[in-house]
Amino acid sequence: LAHRTAIMVDGGLQCLGTLSHLKSKFGGAYEIQAKVAGEKEDELIAFFKETFPQSLLIEQTNHRLTYQLPSGQQLSQMFSVIQNAREPLGIIDYSISETSLEQVFISICRKYAASS
């Protein structure tokens, strides 16, 4: 692997840096994906606004919501909170992960597409 990575969109250089730099600058610390029963989707959105006020809803498709959380959250606390809310909110499955380079790339492409 290279020490530095460049991301180009439509032939234009959008960013350049080390993998850790790109992840910290363009990605959140964690992403939470949750699949929920259809009628409970609004309740899950309200739950995230209340429980994780700094979270950002980045994708919502087919009853699957993806939130980005900033650094400073404890992973064990996030798992505990989500697990305890699983049954009342109708969460079918969920995952918590660190932001990947692929997710950073998609984020940069979305920002570019929105500005074009």
Side-chain angles (χ1 to χ4, degrees):
L1 290 174
H3 294 286
R4 295 186 341 174
T5 302
I7 297 178
M8 296 179 71
V9 180
D10 283 342
L13 183 65
Q14 298 300 310
C15 61
L16 175 69
T18 63
L19 296 178
S20 60
H21 170 74
L22 296 178
K23 283 182 177 183
S24 67
K25 184 170 182 174
F26 296 103
Y30 296 105
E31 285 198 4
I32 298 178
Q33 288 188 354
K35 182 170 181 149
V36 66
E39 68 277 359
K40 299 277 191 168
E41 201 165 311
D42 291 335
E43 291 179 42
L44 184 64
I45 292 170
F47 169 79
F48 267 92
K49 284 182 182 177
E50 181 181 318
T51 309
F52 304 108
Q54 296 175 331
S55 66
L56 174 67
L57 178 62
I58 57 173
E59 191 173 0
Q60 181 178 359
T61 55
N62 296 329
H63 310 297
R64 181 169 294 283
L65 290 86
T66 304
Y67 280 90
Q68 189 174 64
L69 278 78
S71 59
Q73 303 285 328
Q74 288 187 342
L75 190 57
S76 60
Q77 181 186 12
M78 286 188 286
F79 271 111
S80 176
V81 167
I82 299 293
Q83 188 63 33
N84 290 337
R86 195 169 181 181
E87 191 174 321
L89 292 176
I91 297 173
I92 298 167
D93 67 4
Y94 70 95
S95 67
I96 302 174
S97 62
E98 289 184 322
T99 303
S100 69
L101 187 59
E102 177 185 8
Q103 292 162 327
V104 168
F105 176 76
I106 291 169
S107 172
I108 291 169
C109 289
R110 282 186 183 146
K111 287 179 186 176
Y112 179 80
S115 67
S116 296

